[in-house]
Amino acid sequence: MEALTHHIQGEVPWCMLLADDIVLTNEMRGCVNKRLEVWRQTLESKGFKLSRTKIEYLECKFSDASGEADMDVRLDSQVIPKRGSFKYLGSIIQWDGEIDEDVTHRIGVGWMKWRLASGVMCDKKVPPKLKGKFYRAVVRPPKLYGAECWAAEKSQTQKMKVVEMRMLRWMYGHTRLDKIRKDDIQEKVGVAPMDDKMREVRLRCFGHVRRRSIYAPVRRCEQLTLASSLPLRGRGKVCVHSTLPRPHL
């Protein structure tokens, strides 16, 4: 796919291609329509087709500036449905650049993994340290998936901490009524505080980026001047952006 469409791919990050996922981004709906039509014609000439049931459109507004209110995003004569958020590679992307839905989704995934592992977590015969290792390997990674890209606020970090302490108290066999300090519980099961882990994954991601070649796409983005747009991603999605972006780093 990379070779077949190389001649119509734009500069990073305005046009992205991952497996069968195509992301088209522009400041104006009209330009998105033109680019979408070019991709459709190119793919169909090579024997491929764009999925008309999976394509969606997300408009990101970071200011009150008016846009092209009367224009739709279309594929041929079909109007592409507009969404307020969508899931891409397990992460929820919102129209306003916030991460509340993604944080809630990650917490839900964490509880799902917890229920699957409850036979070990709630077994009183299993030592606390072993439970902690199992928790760090099975439950915590799904909760922190994508957290390296979060610009988390204090309330969102606190929500993650509250959920984790509830899991650890349950795993340790105590409730808040027992009045055992959370630091003591974390030490007993060998689990580091959630805010420290969130900071760790952000720094790890930053280190990966800084070690890449300066010619790599992720490093080339450092040199871009984003005057009025902020690219997003999505499976079969088309994104349109308005003015005054909020950097999501």
PDB file of all heavy atoms in Angstrom, residues 56-81:
ATOM      1  N   GLU A  56     -15.604   7.950   8.645  1.00  0.00           N
ATOM      2  CA  GLU A  56     -16.261   8.934   9.486  1.00  0.00           C
ATOM      3  C   GLU A  56     -15.479  10.243   9.416  1.00  0.00           C
ATOM      4  O   GLU A  56     -14.336  10.276   8.957  1.00  0.00           O
ATOM      5  CB  GLU A  56     -16.345   8.446  10.930  1.00  0.00           C
ATOM      6  CG  GLU A  56     -17.253   7.231  11.105  1.00  0.00           C
ATOM      7  CD  GLU A  56     -17.263   6.731  12.538  1.00  0.00           C
ATOM      8  OE1 GLU A  56     -16.436   7.225  13.342  1.00  0.00           O
ATOM      9  OE2 GLU A  56     -18.084   5.862  12.852  1.00  0.00           O
ATOM     10  N   TYR A  57     -16.109  11.276   9.917  1.00  0.00           N
ATOM     11  CA  TYR A  57     -15.531  12.613   9.805  1.00  0.00           C
ATOM     12  C   TYR A  57     -15.579  13.285  11.171  1.00  0.00           C
ATOM     13  O   TYR A  57     -16.600  13.258  11.859  1.00  0.00           O
ATOM     14  CB  TYR A  57     -16.303  13.385   8.734  1.00  0.00           C
ATOM     15  CG  TYR A  57     -16.396  14.880   8.930  1.00  0.00           C
ATOM     16  CD1 TYR A  57     -15.268  15.674   8.990  1.00  0.00           C
ATOM     17  CD2 TYR A  57     -17.647  15.495   9.000  1.00  0.00           C
ATOM     18  CE1 TYR A  57     -15.370  17.041   9.148  1.00  0.00           C
ATOM     19  CE2 TYR A  57     -17.761  16.861   9.150  1.00  0.00           C
ATOM     20  CZ  TYR A  57     -16.624  17.631   9.233  1.00  0.00           C
ATOM     21  OH  TYR A  57     -16.719  18.981   9.386  1.00  0.00           O
ATOM     22  N   LEU A  58     -14.463  13.839  11.586  1.00  0.00           N
ATOM     23  CA  LEU A  58     -14.354  14.508  12.883  1.00  0.00           C
ATOM     24  C   LEU A  58     -13.854  15.926  12.666  1.00  0.00           C
ATOM     25  O   LEU A  58     -12.819  16.129  12.030  1.00  0.00           O
ATOM     26  CB  LEU A  58     -13.380  13.755  13.797  1.00  0.00           C
ATOM     27  CG  LEU A  58     -13.122  14.387  15.164  1.00  0.00           C
ATOM     28  CD1 LEU A  58     -14.338  14.267  16.047  1.00  0.00           C
ATOM     29  CD2 LEU A  58     -11.916  13.752  15.824  1.00  0.00           C
ATOM     30  N   GLU A  59     -14.603  16.887  13.166  1.00  0.00           N
ATOM     31  CA  GLU A  59     -14.174  18.278  13.103  1.00  0.00           C
ATOM     32  C   GLU A  59     -13.695  18.711  14.479  1.00  0.00           C
ATOM     33  O   GLU A  59     -14.424  18.607  15.465  1.00  0.00           O
ATOM     34  CB  GLU A  59     -15.310  19.183  12.638  1.00  0.00           C
ATOM     35  CG  GLU A  59     -14.892  20.640  12.551  1.00  0.00           C
ATOM     36  CD  GLU A  59     -16.009  21.533  12.061  1.00  0.00           C
ATOM     37  OE1 GLU A  59     -17.155  21.055  11.951  1.00  0.00           O
ATOM     38  OE2 GLU A  59     -15.749  22.712  11.784  1.00  0.00           O
ATOM     39  N   CYS A  60     -12.468  19.160  14.534  1.00  0.00           N
ATOM     40  CA  CYS A  60     -11.883  19.597  15.794  1.00  0.00           C
ATOM     41  C   CYS A  60     -11.947  21.116  15.871  1.00  0.00           C
ATOM     42  O   CYS A  60     -11.384  21.805  15.022  1.00  0.00           O
ATOM     43  CB  CYS A  60     -10.435  19.132  15.899  1.00  0.00           C
ATOM     44  SG  CYS A  60     -10.262  17.347  15.958  1.00  0.00           S
ATOM     45  N   LYS A  61     -12.638  21.604  16.879  1.00  0.00           N
ATOM     46  CA  LYS A  61     -12.754  23.046  17.075  1.00  0.00           C
ATOM     47  C   LYS A  61     -12.069  23.436  18.369  1.00  0.00           C
ATOM     48  O   LYS A  61     -12.452  23.016  19.444  1.00  0.00           O
ATOM     49  CB  LYS A  61     -14.232  23.465  17.116  1.00  0.00           C
ATOM     50  CG  LYS A  61     -14.924  23.393  15.765  1.00  0.00           C
ATOM     51  CD  LYS A  61     -16.301  24.050  15.826  1.00  0.00           C
ATOM     52  CE  LYS A  61     -16.951  24.099  14.462  1.00  0.00           C
ATOM     53  NZ  LYS A  61     -18.268  24.780  14.506  1.00  0.00           N
ATOM     54  N   PHE A  62     -11.055  24.275  18.228  1.00  0.00           N
ATOM     55  CA  PHE A  62     -10.314  24.747  19.386  1.00  0.00           C
ATOM     56  C   PHE A  62     -10.541  26.237  19.618  1.00  0.00           C
ATOM     57  O   PHE A  62      -9.847  26.863  20.401  1.00  0.00           O
ATOM     58  CB  PHE A  62      -8.824  24.467  19.199  1.00  0.00           C
ATOM     59  CG  PHE A  62      -8.532  23.015  18.961  1.00  0.00           C
ATOM     60  CD1 PHE A  62      -8.230  22.555  17.702  1.00  0.00           C
ATOM     61  CD2 PHE A  62      -8.588  22.104  19.998  1.00  0.00           C
ATOM     62  CE1 PHE A  62      -7.968  21.219  17.479  1.00  0.00           C
ATOM     63  CE2 PHE A  62      -8.335  20.768  19.796  1.00  0.00           C
ATOM     64  CZ  PHE A  62      -8.016  20.320  18.524  1.00  0.00           C
ATOM     65  N   SER A  63     -11.490  26.815  18.875  1.00  0.00           N
ATOM     66  CA  SER A  63     -11.833  28.219  19.072  1.00  0.00           C
ATOM     67  C   SER A  63     -13.267  28.411  18.603  1.00  0.00           C
ATOM     68  O   SER A  63     -13.927  27.483  18.151  1.00  0.00           O
ATOM     69  CB  SER A  63     -10.888  29.131  18.280  1.00  0.00           C
ATOM     70  OG  SER A  63     -11.172  29.047  16.895  1.00  0.00           O
ATOM     71  N   ASP A  64     -13.765  29.643  18.706  1.00  0.00           N
ATOM     72  CA  ASP A  64     -15.124  29.954  18.270  1.00  0.00           C
ATOM     73  C   ASP A  64     -15.170  30.442  16.833  1.00  0.00           C
ATOM     74  O   ASP A  64     -16.185  30.966  16.376  1.00  0.00           O
ATOM     75  CB  ASP A  64     -15.735  31.031  19.181  1.00  0.00           C
ATOM     76  CG  ASP A  64     -15.883  30.536  20.613  1.00  0.00           C
ATOM     77  OD1 ASP A  64     -16.098  29.317  20.784  1.00  0.00           O
ATOM     78  OD2 ASP A  64     -15.770  31.349  21.537  1.00  0.00           O
ATOM     79  N   ALA A  65     -14.077  30.306  16.117  1.00  0.00           N
ATOM     80  CA  ALA A  65     -14.033  30.757  14.729  1.00  0.00           C
ATOM     81  C   ALA A  65     -15.026  29.973  13.889  1.00  0.00           C
ATOM     82  O   ALA A  65     -15.164  28.761  14.025  1.00  0.00           O
ATOM     83  CB  ALA A  65     -12.626  30.594  14.163  1.00  0.00           C
ATOM     84  N   SER A  66     -15.755  30.666  13.033  1.00  0.00           N
ATOM     85  CA  SER A  66     -16.747  30.012  12.195  1.00  0.00           C
ATOM     86  C   SER A  66     -16.082  29.302  11.032  1.00  0.00           C
ATOM     87  O   SER A  66     -15.068  29.736  10.506  1.00  0.00           O
ATOM     88  CB  SER A  66     -17.745  31.050  11.655  1.00  0.00           C
ATOM     89  OG  SER A  66     -17.057  32.032  10.906  1.00  0.00           O
ATOM     90  N   GLY A  67     -16.648  28.168  10.617  1.00  0.00           N
ATOM     91  CA  GLY A  67     -16.100  27.392   9.515  1.00  0.00           C
ATOM     92  C   GLY A  67     -17.076  27.320   8.369  1.00  0.00           C
ATOM     93  O   GLY A  67     -17.945  28.178   8.197  1.00  0.00           O
ATOM     94  N   GLU A  68     -16.928  26.277   7.547  1.00  0.00           N
ATOM     95  CA  GLU A  68     -17.796  26.085   6.392  1.00  0.00           C
ATOM     96  C   GLU A  68     -19.043  25.333   6.843  1.00  0.00           C
ATOM     97  O   GLU A  68     -19.167  24.131   6.658  1.00  0.00           O
ATOM     98  CB  GLU A  68     -17.045  25.325   5.309  1.00  0.00           C
ATOM     99  CG  GLU A  68     -15.755  26.010   4.906  1.00  0.00           C
ATOM    100  CD  GLU A  68     -14.792  25.054   4.234  1.00  0.00           C
ATOM    101  OE1 GLU A  68     -14.291  24.163   4.931  1.00  0.00           O
ATOM    102  OE2 GLU A  68     -14.565  25.195   3.032  1.00  0.00           O
ATOM    103  N   ALA A  69     -19.963  26.052   7.434  1.00  0.00           N
ATOM    104  CA  ALA A  69     -21.104  25.410   8.080  1.00  0.00           C
ATOM    105  C   ALA A  69     -22.019  24.705   7.089  1.00  0.00           C
ATOM    106  O   ALA A  69     -22.698  23.745   7.444  1.00  0.00           O
ATOM    107  CB  ALA A  69     -21.896  26.443   8.881  1.00  0.00           C
ATOM    108  N   ASP A  70     -22.070  25.165   5.856  1.00  0.00           N
ATOM    109  CA  ASP A  70     -23.020  24.615   4.897  1.00  0.00           C
ATOM    110  C   ASP A  70     -22.430  23.517   4.026  1.00  0.00           C
ATOM    111  O   ASP A  70     -23.113  22.993   3.144  1.00  0.00           O
ATOM    112  CB  ASP A  70     -23.547  25.735   3.983  1.00  0.00           C
ATOM    113  CG  ASP A  70     -24.289  26.803   4.779  1.00  0.00           C
ATOM    114  OD1 ASP A  70     -24.879  26.432   5.813  1.00  0.00           O
ATOM    115  OD2 ASP A  70     -24.265  27.971   4.364  1.00  0.00           O
ATOM    116  N   MET A  71     -21.186  23.139   4.228  1.00  0.00           N
ATOM    117  CA  MET A  71     -20.545  22.153   3.366  1.00  0.00           C
ATOM    118  C   MET A  71     -20.411  20.823   4.094  1.00  0.00           C
ATOM    119  O   MET A  71     -20.037  20.777   5.262  1.00  0.00           O
ATOM    120  CB  MET A  71     -19.165  22.637   2.908  1.00  0.00           C
ATOM    121  CG  MET A  71     -18.431  21.648   2.002  1.00  0.00           C
ATOM    122  SD  MET A  71     -16.834  22.271   1.437  1.00  0.00           S
ATOM    123  CE  MET A  71     -17.398  23.572   0.340  1.00  0.00           C
ATOM    124  N   ASP A  72     -20.730  19.724   3.398  1.00  0.00           N
ATOM    125  CA  ASP A  72     -20.574  18.385   3.937  1.00  0.00           C
ATOM    126  C   ASP A  72     -19.297  17.763   3.403  1.00  0.00           C
ATOM    127  O   ASP A  72     -18.767  18.165   2.370  1.00  0.00           O
ATOM    128  CB  ASP A  72     -21.762  17.493   3.535  1.00  0.00           C
ATOM    129  CG  ASP A  72     -23.070  17.963   4.155  1.00  0.00           C
ATOM    130  OD1 ASP A  72     -23.044  18.357   5.334  1.00  0.00           O
ATOM    131  OD2 ASP A  72     -24.104  17.932   3.461  1.00  0.00           O
ATOM    132  N   VAL A  73     -18.803  16.772   4.130  1.00  0.00           N
ATOM    133  CA  VAL A  73     -17.720  15.944   3.627  1.00  0.00           C
ATOM    134  C   VAL A  73     -18.355  14.762   2.917  1.00  0.00           C
ATOM    135  O   VAL A  73     -19.190  14.057   3.494  1.00  0.00           O
ATOM    136  CB  VAL A  73     -16.802  15.469   4.764  1.00  0.00           C
ATOM    137  CG1 VAL A  73     -15.732  14.523   4.236  1.00  0.00           C
ATOM    138  CG2 VAL A  73     -16.151  16.661   5.449  1.00  0.00           C
ATOM    139  N   ARG A  74     -17.973  14.528   1.647  1.00  0.00           N
ATOM    140  CA  ARG A  74     -18.641  13.524   0.831  1.00  0.00           C
ATOM    141  C   ARG A  74     -17.634  12.578   0.190  1.00  0.00           C
ATOM    142  O   ARG A  74     -16.483  12.940  -0.064  1.00  0.00           O
ATOM    143  CB  ARG A  74     -19.470  14.189  -0.274  1.00  0.00           C
ATOM    144  CG  ARG A  74     -20.638  15.025   0.221  1.00  0.00           C
ATOM    145  CD  ARG A  74     -21.331  15.735  -0.929  1.00  0.00           C
ATOM    146  NE  ARG A  74     -22.512  16.468  -0.471  1.00  0.00           N
ATOM    147  CZ  ARG A  74     -23.733  15.949  -0.431  1.00  0.00           C
ATOM    148  NH1 ARG A  74     -23.933  14.704  -0.840  1.00  0.00           N
ATOM    149  NH2 ARG A  74     -24.753  16.662   0.003  1.00  0.00           N
ATOM    150  N   LEU A  75     -18.117  11.371  -0.069  1.00  0.00           N
ATOM    151  CA  LEU A  75     -17.420  10.399  -0.890  1.00  0.00           C
ATOM    152  C   LEU A  75     -18.352  10.069  -2.038  1.00  0.00           C
ATOM    153  O   LEU A  75     -19.347   9.384  -1.848  1.00  0.00           O
ATOM    154  CB  LEU A  75     -17.086   9.143  -0.089  1.00  0.00           C
ATOM    155  CG  LEU A  75     -16.336   8.042  -0.845  1.00  0.00           C
ATOM    156  CD1 LEU A  75     -15.003   8.558  -1.361  1.00  0.00           C
ATOM    157  CD2 LEU A  75     -16.117   6.826   0.054  1.00  0.00           C
ATOM    158  N   ASP A  76     -18.064  10.590  -3.218  1.00  0.00           N
ATOM    159  CA  ASP A  76     -19.016  10.584  -4.335  1.00  0.00           C
ATOM    160  C   ASP A  76     -20.247  11.367  -3.886  1.00  0.00           C
ATOM    161  O   ASP A  76     -20.158  12.495  -3.476  1.00  0.00           O
ATOM    162  CB  ASP A  76     -19.363   9.156  -4.762  1.00  0.00           C
ATOM    163  CG  ASP A  76     -18.217   8.501  -5.518  1.00  0.00           C
ATOM    164  OD1 ASP A  76     -17.331   9.230  -5.981  1.00  0.00           O
ATOM    165  OD2 ASP A  76     -18.204   7.264  -5.639  1.00  0.00           O
ATOM    166  N   SER A  77     -21.406  10.722  -3.938  1.00  0.00           N
ATOM    167  CA  SER A  77     -22.647  11.383  -3.519  1.00  0.00           C
ATOM    168  C   SER A  77     -23.005  11.080  -2.069  1.00  0.00           C
ATOM    169  O   SER A  77     -23.979  11.610  -1.537  1.00  0.00           O
ATOM    170  CB  SER A  77     -23.804  10.934  -4.434  1.00  0.00           C
ATOM    171  OG  SER A  77     -23.960   9.531  -4.378  1.00  0.00           O
ATOM    172  N   GLN A  78     -22.220  10.228  -1.417  1.00  0.00           N
ATOM    173  CA  GLN A  78     -22.510   9.829  -0.040  1.00  0.00           C
ATOM    174  C   GLN A  78     -21.965  10.856   0.942  1.00  0.00           C
ATOM    175  O   GLN A  78     -20.798  11.242   0.881  1.00  0.00           O
ATOM    176  CB  GLN A  78     -21.898   8.461   0.255  1.00  0.00           C
ATOM    177  CG  GLN A  78     -22.055   8.016   1.713  1.00  0.00           C
ATOM    178  CD  GLN A  78     -21.334   6.714   1.991  1.00  0.00           C
ATOM    179  OE1 GLN A  78     -20.986   5.983   1.063  1.00  0.00           O
ATOM    180  NE2 GLN A  78     -21.099   6.427   3.253  1.00  0.00           N
ATOM    181  N   VAL A  79     -22.811  11.296   1.867  1.00  0.00           N
ATOM    182  CA  VAL A  79     -22.387  12.228   2.913  1.00  0.00           C
ATOM    183  C   VAL A  79     -21.721  11.443   4.038  1.00  0.00           C
ATOM    184  O   VAL A  79     -22.302  10.490   4.571  1.00  0.00           O
ATOM    185  CB  VAL A  79     -23.588  13.035   3.461  1.00  0.00           C
ATOM    186  CG1 VAL A  79     -23.138  13.938   4.608  1.00  0.00           C
ATOM    187  CG2 VAL A  79     -24.229  13.853   2.354  1.00  0.00           C
ATOM    188  N   ILE A  80     -20.505  11.837   4.388  1.00  0.00           N
ATOM    189  CA  ILE A  80     -19.775  11.153   5.451  1.00  0.00           C
ATOM    190  C   ILE A  80     -20.338  11.585   6.802  1.00  0.00           C
ATOM    191  O   ILE A  80     -20.456  12.782   7.080  1.00  0.00           O
ATOM    192  CB  ILE A  80     -18.272  11.495   5.378  1.00  0.00           C
ATOM    193  CG1 ILE A  80     -17.710  11.157   3.995  1.00  0.00           C
ATOM    194  CG2 ILE A  80     -17.511  10.747   6.463  1.00  0.00           C
ATOM    195  CD1 ILE A  80     -17.875   9.725   3.596  1.00  0.00           C
ATOM    196  N   PRO A  81     -20.732  10.630   7.670  1.00  0.00           N
ATOM    197  CA  PRO A  81     -21.289  11.005   8.976  1.00  0.00           C
ATOM    198  C   PRO A  81     -20.262  11.688   9.872  1.00  0.00           C
ATOM    199  O   PRO A  81     -19.093  11.295   9.902  1.00  0.00           O
ATOM    200  CB  PRO A  81     -21.737   9.664   9.563  1.00  0.00           C
ATOM    201  CG  PRO A  81     -20.919   8.638   8.850  1.00  0.00           C
ATOM    202  CD  PRO A  81     -20.699   9.171   7.472  1.00  0.00           C
TER     203      PRO A  81
END
